[in-house]
Amino acid sequence: MTALAAVLVVSSGSVASASGAPPRTTHGPCEYTQTPDEPAARRVPLPPDPRHTPSHGTVRTAVRTNQGPLPLRLNRAKAPCTVQSFVHLARHRFYDRTVCHRLTAYPTLKVLQCGDPTSTGEGGPGYKYKDELPVDLPPAPSDPTGVRRLYGRGLLAMANAGPDTNGSQFFVVYGDSALRPNYTVFGTVGAAGLKTLDKIAAGGIEPTAQDPAPVDGTPVLRTELLSVRPFCLP
């Protein structure tokens, strides 16, 4: 596996903060923290951070894309702070009319990455929060070292730029992938969504002047999240 195939990153910007004030952090267990040097791609407040963060049940989320439906089921028990943030962003229409900017087709990494309103891989919500890393993923059969874990087809997980840098970007797995367990898993994709992902993956990746047959880059089939709507909150 190449170095690129091993990571699902959010590119880190270098915009200087206009204020010398320390970043604001919420006071609940999730500790959502402003990132003044990486301002929000779309204006959105910090998420609510109640002392008793909901940690049971699921949140079904209807995601409508121009390529077909992408229904999600968010798992509060696995990642309560992540689900809370995702629902918050969805309620504020942060994800609406955003384009999924990255498709990978490595033998051991098959994902579609979304959640950046700028479509560059550098945009986020203007805050970050802690990891809720998976502890129950099986070892990846393709990794004899046992370091990487199997992020199976249909999983929904957060992209990041390092430890505790979760924001708005996420990825959906359309084919079993081998990754270090450094990415928060917070849900699954429904059957109709897998069909949509297969369609997007079959379309391939945009060739470039440097690489006429890339395995990592912009999807040929432009994939836009038209609306993201959580519902049936328990």
Side-chain angles (χ1 to χ4, degrees):
M1 180 187 297
T2 67
L4 276 176
V7 292
L8 271 295
V9 300
V10 176
S11 300
S12 180
S14 58
V15 180
S17 172
S19 170
R24 181 185 164 210
T25 299
T26 59
H27 298 296
C30 297
E31 295 184 345
Y32 301 108
T33 301
Q34 287 180 327
T35 54
D37 57 335
E38 296 175 13
R42 287 180 176 172
R43 289 183 63 89
V44 64
L46 288 175
D49 192 5
R51 185 172 181 179
H52 299 291
T53 304
S55 59
H56 300 285
T58 59
V59 180
R60 286 188 288 165
T61 302
V63 180
R64 187 168 59 92
T65 87
N66 64 317
Q67 299 297 341
L70 189 66
L72 305 176
R73 184 179 291 271
L74 315 183
N75 190 324
R76 283 174 161 162
K78 285 187 177 295
C81 293
T82 302
V83 172
Q84 188 165 253
S85 173
F86 190 93
V87 170
H88 168 76
L89 292 173
R91 284 176 169 172
H92 281 81
R93 308 295 192 258
F94 184 90
Y95 291 122
D96 290 7
R97 297 288 177 178
T98 61
V99 175
C100 297
H101 63 278
R102 184 184 183 194
L103 179 69
T104 68
Y106 295 98
T108 54
L109 183 66
K110 299 180 183 297
V111 305
L112 177 70
Q113 188 168 334
C114 312
D116 171 15
T118 72
S119 304
T120 64
E122 297 185 0
Y127 65 83
K128 63 182 180 180
Y129 59 96
K130 65 184 181 181
D131 294 323
E132 297 172 294
L133 300 180
V135 296
D136 57 353
L137 296 178
S142 60
D143 182 12
T145 69
V147 173
R148 291 178 175 81
R149 292 292 181 266
L150 179 65
Y151 280 69
R153 172 174 163 85
L155 284 188
L156 167 68
M158 293 298 296
N160 62 54
D164 301 322
T165 59
N166 301 287
S168 62
Q169 292 188 41
F170 61 92
F171 61 94
V172 282
V173 183
Y174 70 88
D176 288 354
S177 300
L179 288 165
R180 292 177 182 271
N182 297 338
Y183 307 95
T184 297
V185 173
F186 68 105
T188 55
V189 182
L194 291 176
K195 291 182 180 178
T196 299
L197 289 175
D198 288 342
K199 172 186 174 183
I200 296 166
I205 298 166
E206 289 279 4
T208 66
Q210 295 76 27
D211 189 349
V215 291
D216 191 339
T218 305
V220 169
L221 294 180
R222 184 178 184 275
T223 303
E224 183 177 3
L225 307 184
L226 302 174
S227 64
V228 180
R229 298 288 183 269
F231 64 99
C232 291
L233 300 179

